[in-house]
Amino acid sequence: MAINWTEAQIEEIVASVMKSLKSDAPTTKCEYDGAGYNGKKYIGVYTDMKDAIDAAESGYKAVRAMSLAERERVIDIIRDLCRKEASIMAEIGVSETKMGRVDHKTAKHTLVADKTPGTSDIQAQVKTGDYGLTLTEMAPFGVVGSITPSTNPSETVICNSIGMIAAGNGVVFNPHPNAIATSNYAVDLINRASQLAGGPRVLVSSVVKPTLDTADIMYKDPRIKLLVCTGGPGVVKSVLSSGKKAIGAGAGNPPVIVDDTADIRKAGKDIIDGCTFDNNLPCIAEKEVFALNNIASELIEAMKENGAYLINSEQASRLASIVLVEKTNPKTGIKSKIVNRDCVGRDAKVLLEKIGISVCDKIRCIICETDFNHDFVQHELMMPILPIVRVKDIDEAIDLAVKAEHGNRHTAHMHSKNIDNLTRFARAVETTIFVKNAPSYAGIGFGGEGHTTFTIAGPTGEGLTSAKSFTRQRRCVLSESFRII
Ligand code: NAD
């Protein structure tokens, strides 16, 4: 399936989703909370984490008893509901988290519905030889504990659920505290799909009020066999220290290189399209640009033609002092800068207003020329703010881009027609995703080939997770038989 990112198509998707919504579907965003909506309780959402784990364990037993066709039937209905309720989840997401854009979040849900792999992702391997036949099958772990972020809350819950159920697991979620209603709406959706497919009332579960304490209960419960964590460095570190098998999908700071062989006009548009996708919330989105000096001005003009607003260095300093705040570590007394949560995922227009600049709605990105050490380059802002660093040649571009990625090994992008340059950067940066000559979202299957995921596991190496990432290998050996040739 090919999806091209145009405003017209997004509008079409939103219109078709709105048209197909069921009449009894909830519509008022202010009536949601972590426990339910419109007075109706979310299915599978518990006050106590222990009860949530009990429910996930029952869900696991039910999935184990299902045939592959029955699992696939549940997944088909999840996909269907996800398409139908995409704009509802997008609206709750923006309303609850105050981050991102409804049209883009709607498209993200449609992407999850269309391109998250199901049971076909699970493939057994067979080896035959003089000694007979050995079969390696991909088995479920059991009950998975999943920690989900605020940036793609319901997208991650649904994407994880499809993959984990396809693999035969149960799952209990500990969603981000700033996105409980959105995440638990998705938990409810999975359970409604299960019921519609003739499965159990509660297939996956969550808690009304997730906290670090409920996460800790999840880490320590012996029934949880696998932890999957999608979030920033703190939480990834915490699951990797849990003593359990864990999949960690952590932070990125994706650099973009543009060299002088690129189609500069296209590069300018692609970079702005990718950088502004859901107001830069995706961890894969372009965060800083390294442009060869001889094409940098032309690139900036191309960006301006595509909704970018250029600010000067004094304005950039004032903006930096607002979007980043200083924090003192209570234990060490060491001061560091962290992103101002009130600015993450906000519209460019809103951010510009904070430094007294008023612009029209067409402005979707703030760009500025900076040096390499600027806060905008060094910090993962997750805002539609894009610093551009001029470099003298490709050597300098690669050197600085690799440093700006901070060894996350997450995502990097490049616009070039020079195969040697593309290859050199890809080798040097060692990221899980490397996108050439396209907006960043092509890397997760949006206008690019390949499946989608919202859990990109760089630190633990699973890469773009899918059902098979949530399985464990089991070998079955039959000696001296079943080799039939
Ligand atoms: P976050 O790190 O603030 O929170 C993630 C989740 O972890 C939340 O549920 C939070 O409550 C919980 N949490 C935080 N510290 C914890 C701890 N010590 N123990 C247990 N739970 C803890 O993430 P966010 O702001 O929602 O998401 C943004 C970050 O996540 C960015 O850094 C982004 O790059 C990253 N991210 C990565 C991917 C990926 O696939 N690699 C996807 C989305 C987001």
Side-chain angles (χ1 to χ4, degrees), residues 147-152 174-177 212 215 219 230-235 238 249-252 283 341 380 382 410 454-457:
I147 297 208
T148 52
S150 59
T151 46
N152 321 303
N174 195 68
H176 198 290
L212 293 184
Y219 290 2
T230 313
V235 63
S238 80
C283 49
R341 283 265 166 188
E380 184 200 24
M382 295 178 287
H410 194 299
F454 280 84
T455 298
I456 299 152

Side-chain angles (χ1 to χ4, degrees), residues 217-340:
I217 294 169
M218 191 165 108
Y219 290 2
K220 291 189 176 136
D221 193 299
R223 291 170 294 173
I224 305 290
K225 303 294 185 198
L226 169 68
L227 291 165
V228 177
C229 168
T230 313
V235 63
V236 169
K237 193 172 166 205
S238 80
V239 289
L240 296 184
S241 318
S242 67
K244 285 193 175 164
K245 161 78 182 172
I247 295 176
N253 194 35
V256 194
I257 291 179
V258 185
D259 78 10
D260 51 7
T261 67
D263 178 339
I264 304 300
R265 293 182 73 81
K266 179 176 182 304
K269 178 176 188 312
D270 284 355
I271 293 169
I272 296 301
D273 283 350
C275 174
T276 56
F277 185 31
D278 207 17
N279 280 345
N280 202 256
L281 290 179
C283 49
I284 55 157
E286 294 83 348
K287 299 286 191 283
E288 62 279 337
V289 177
F290 297 92
L292 262 60
N293 195 29
N294 57 351
I295 50 86
S297 299
E298 190 187 343
L299 181 70
I300 288 168
E301 284 311 308
M303 289 176 169
K304 282 162 68 180
E305 282 164 22
N306 285 284
Y309 185 90
L310 181 67
I311 57 172
N312 62 31
S313 60
E314 180 272 326
Q315 291 164 330
S317 300
R318 274 196 290 131
L319 188 59
S321 69
I322 294 167
V323 302
L324 289 152
V325 288
E326 209 160 75
K327 189 186 152 198
T328 309
N329 183 319
K331 285 184 192 149
T332 61
I334 295 171
K335 288 185 177 165
S336 60
K337 284 181 185 168
I338 58 164
V339 290
N340 178 351

Side-chain angles (χ1 to χ4, degrees), residues 51-162:
D51 293 336
I53 297 173
D54 287 347
E57 193 183 26
S58 302
Y60 168 53
K61 286 179 184 152
V63 176
R64 292 266 357 226
M66 286 180 196
S67 65
L68 285 173
E70 285 167 339
R71 274 188 224 169
E72 206 47 52
R73 166 106 182 111
V74 174
I75 291 167
D76 278 347
I77 297 176
I78 294 172
R79 294 187 199 282
D80 195 38
L81 292 183
C82 183
R83 282 184 203 105
K84 286 184 172 149
E85 298 175 31
S87 68
I88 293 177
M89 288 183 277
E91 281 200 26
I92 312 170
V94 173
S95 156
E96 182 180 31
T97 65
K98 313 277 181 289
M99 304 191 297
R101 295 178 43 155
V102 171
D103 52 356
H104 294 181
K105 283 191 186 295
T106 303
K108 281 160 74 180
H109 285 85
T110 308
L111 177 69
V112 166
D114 290 345
K115 294 191 86 174
T116 305
T119 56
S120 61
D121 197 50
I122 313 289
Q123 298 288 335
Q125 293 164 22
V126 174
K127 177 157 175 47
T128 66
D130 293 344
Y131 295 104
L133 176 144
T134 292
L135 174 67
T136 305
E137 287 192 295
M138 310 308 287
F141 269 89
V143 184
V144 181
S146 175
I147 297 208
T148 52
S150 59
T151 46
N152 321 303
S154 37
E155 298 91 318
T156 308
V157 167
I158 295 173
C159 188
N160 274 191
S161 295
I162 291 175

Side-chain angles (χ1 to χ4, degrees), residues 397-473:
I398 293 174
D399 179 44
L400 295 184
V402 168
K403 286 180 181 145
E405 212 272 328
H406 299 314
N408 294 318
R409 302 212 264 184
H410 194 299
T411 299
H413 311 284
M414 186 159 177
H415 295 263
S416 170
K417 288 180 185 159
N418 181 319
I419 292 171
D420 293 340
N421 288 352
L422 287 162
T423 308
R424 278 182 58 200
F425 182 36
R427 283 190 182 154
V429 75
E430 292 188 89
T431 47
T432 306
I433 297 178
F434 186 74
V435 178
K436 302 188 277 268
N437 299 323
S440 49
Y441 42 72
I444 53 166
F446 203 91
E449 287 300 326
H451 73 272
T452 201
T453 183
F454 280 84
T455 298
I456 299 152
T460 48
E462 290 77 8
L464 286 91
T465 57
S466 59
K468 64 173 173 287
S469 315
F470 312 121
T471 58
R472 51 189 276 268
Q473 287 193 8

Side-chain angles (χ1 to χ4, degrees), residues 323-394:
V323 302
L324 289 152
V325 288
E326 209 160 75
K327 189 186 152 198
T328 309
N329 183 319
K331 285 184 192 149
T332 61
I334 295 171
K335 288 185 177 165
S336 60
K337 284 181 185 168
I338 58 164
V339 290
N340 178 351
R341 283 265 166 188
D342 289 342
C343 297
V344 172
R346 295 300 170 102
D347 292 344
K349 186 179 169 160
V350 171
L351 296 173
L352 282 170
E353 273 163 14
K354 292 183 187 292
I355 54 167
I357 298 174
S358 165
V359 293
C360 67
D361 288 338
K362 279 192 179 156
I363 295 301
R364 52 185 175 140
C365 191
I366 303 166
I367 56 172
C368 50
E369 288 198 46
T370 70
D371 62 24
F372 172 73
N373 294 315
H374 196 279
D375 284 334
F376 288 168
V377 175
Q378 299 301 323
H379 292 270
E380 184 200 24
L381 297 180
M382 295 178 287
M383 303 166 203
I385 298 175
L386 192 63
I388 299 153
V389 179
R390 285 178 188 258
V391 288
K392 62 177 186 302
D393 56 24
I394 190 67

